[in-house]
Amino acid sequence: MIPFTYEGLPARVIFGSGTLDQVGSEVERLGCKRVMVISTPQQAAEAERIAKQLGAAHGVTYTGAVMHTPVDVTEHAMTLVRDEKIDGTVAIGGGSTIGLGKAIALRTDLPQLVIPTTYAGSEMTPILGQTENGQKTTQRTHKVLPETVIYDVDLTLTLPARMSVVSGLNAMAHAVEALYATNANPVISMMAESGIAALYRGLPKLSAAPDDLEARSDALYGAWLCAVCLGASNVALHHKLCHVLGGSFDLPHAETHAIILPHALAYNAPVTRDAVDAIKRALGGGGGIAGKLYDIALNAGAPVALRDIGMPKDGIDRALEVVMANPYANPRPIDPAVIRRLLVNAWEGVRPDHSTYAA
Ligand code: NAD
């Protein structure tokens, strides 16, 4: 027997094709009469479409969401929330837009309807990262967990193939870490395995044919399951390394996660047998799981080397220093020599296998 604690997070989830049509009735269900629609400048047209659909329930649109949820952007949006007497938000977009909706909820407790258009997964988590004076701080609070999430696979068709694959690998990383998290439990482990399997089915197909609705559906379904895993689990080596790398060298979020995933998995594989077995099943059986994940990125033309996304070579030792100065839970103890090898390999873009980080 393996004892565990499971805590389900409340959320209403609608999944399908054409589900955006339900935005009006879902806003009504939340009891909102005057909502703010939020997007990035790049997705202003989608925000406009939703505003039209909402009719009288639309109060105002804010299209200024940007990466890393800067506090000054949130404050700007908050003046509109107050001036326009907004009683709920509808966020359409990726993690950046969803982050702004969460930051507003943190300050107001307003209900949130979220319509994700990437695979990043913020919509299912009680986590918010905010940036102020160049510092990113992350907190977990149920106040920021969205009440309703509408997944409409049609909205993901415009996400460029390469970005989709990178975003999908970022999602898979949530599930991989959930399988060996200190608070792992059987419900989340089932979701993690199914999430990895669905993304593994979908990503190579959509990379070849970005408008393949079945592949898009697999990927979005997998992203949802992986997002639940992130919301429920403590993170370990993979997320911590990405946090250090992203924060120290201003590297792009999803790309960094996608590059580090096969290496972190190979590092932890020797001591996480159950997780490895689950991932093997999810990837169709057989070994070479780290290499299989690496190949998804390689075959899609996505970056596999940190040097190709802007990390300087002398950053390897700087990152190692920060990693070693901030110890954290990981199934395998953090061995500086092996972690350095990992960072060198990830910087160069080496394809890892089960022996790359053998003790
Ligand atoms: P993003 O939200 O920054 O989106 C990237 C760009 O793609 C934006 O310009 C966006 O408008 C555009 N885009 C989004 N969907 C599109 C579509 N379907 N078609 C065309 N263009 C589209 O990127 P992201 O990777 O989704 O989110 C990254 C951010 O989310 C980071 O700041 C990260 O820290 C945060 N995040 C937070 C959590 C959490 O739980 N709090 C989880 C995951 C990510």
Side-chain angles (χ1 to χ4, degrees):
M1 182 198 67
I2 302 169
F4 62 88
T5 302
Y6 169 72
E7 184 186 344
L9 295 174
R12 177 174 163 84
V13 175
I14 294 153
F15 186 98
S17 162
T19 45
L20 186 62
D21 289 350
Q22 297 174 46
V23 69
S25 55
E26 289 301 321
V27 161
E28 203 179 321
R29 198 172 187 279
L30 286 170
C32 300
K33 305 243 174 317
R34 200 171 159 73
V35 298
M36 175 192 257
V37 178
I38 308 169
S39 75
T40 58
Q42 294 81 4
Q43 289 180 288
E46 284 86 342
E48 187 53 39
R49 178 178 161 199
I50 291 173
K52 279 207 182 98
Q53 270 178 257
L54 290 172
H58 173 246
V60 69
T61 299
Y62 184 80
T63 58
V66 292
M67 192 84 123
H68 303 314
T69 330
V71 168
D72 54 344
V73 171
T74 304
E75 295 303 342
H76 187 209
M78 280 297 300
T79 59
L80 282 176
V81 168
R82 283 187 289 266
D83 293 352
E84 298 290 336
K85 303 199 169 23
I86 293 303
D87 63 2
T89 58
V90 175
I92 176 152
S96 299
T97 305
I98 298 168
L100 176 56
K102 287 173 149 183
I104 293 170
L106 179 74
R107 290 160 176 78
T108 59
D109 247 340
L110 290 181
Q112 306 173 68
L113 190 159
V114 171
I115 306 159
T117 60
T118 70
Y119 307 133
S122 178
E123 65 278 1
M124 298 307 298
T125 80
I127 305 167
L128 171 65
Q130 301 187 95
T131 317
E132 193 168 25
N133 303 325
Q135 289 281 2
K136 188 164 182 175
T137 49
T138 301
Q139 57 182 302
R140 263 184 190 260
T141 162
H142 285 209
K143 265 175 114 171
V144 305
L145 185 71
E147 280 71 7
T148 305
V149 178
I150 297 181
Y151 286 102
D152 187 337
V153 69
D154 302 356
L155 298 171
T156 62
L157 294 173
T158 50
L159 193 64
R162 213 192 73 141
M163 205 167 144
S164 302
V165 167
V166 169
S167 188
L169 288 168
N170 179 184
M172 262 195 204
H174 309 329
V176 166
E177 293 246 289
L179 285 166
Y180 54 63
T182 50
N183 60 348
N185 65 71
V187 175
I188 293 298
S189 294
M190 279 192 293
M191 288 185 153
E193 187 175 328
S194 296
I196 295 167
L199 280 159
Y200 189 64
R201 277 195 307 274
L203 294 183
K205 283 192 203 150
L206 72 79
S207 159
D211 55 357
D212 179 334
L213 205 63
E214 205 51 47
R216 285 286 184 184
S217 172
D218 277 339
L220 191 61
Y221 174 69
W224 167 51
L225 293 174
C226 293
V228 176
C229 294
L230 177 67
S233 309
N234 296 332
V235 293
L237 178 69
H238 174 268
H239 279 78
K240 298 292 180 182
L241 276 180
C242 293
H243 190 81
V244 168
L245 293 167
S248 307
F249 311 108
D250 198 23
L251 305 183
H253 175 89
E255 282 83 350
T256 309
H257 281 250
I259 292 170
I260 292 295
L261 172 62
H263 295 280
L265 174 58
Y267 182 89
N268 279 328
V271 301
T272 52
R273 179 177 298 207
D274 289 349
V276 166
D277 286 346
I279 297 166
K280 277 184 184 168
R281 288 192 297 271
L283 302 187
I289 52 177
K292 282 183 178 174
L293 297 187
Y294 175 97
D295 290 344
I296 296 176
L298 189 73
N299 295 337
V304 291
L306 292 172
R307 68 174 162 198
D308 293 338
I309 60 166
M311 180 170 161
K313 188 166 191 185
D314 67 1
I316 294 171
D317 285 311
R318 280 195 276 152
L320 182 65
E321 221 171 274
V322 182
V323 169
M324 296 316 296
N326 299 287
Y328 47 84
N330 188 61
R332 178 173 169 190
I334 303 299
D335 176 331
V338 188
I339 293 294
R340 189 174 191 285
R341 197 154 81 230
L342 185 159
L343 287 167
V344 169
N345 286 342
W347 188 81
E348 289 178 350
V350 169
R351 183 182 190 272
D353 64 31
H354 69 282
S355 63
T356 308
Y357 305 115

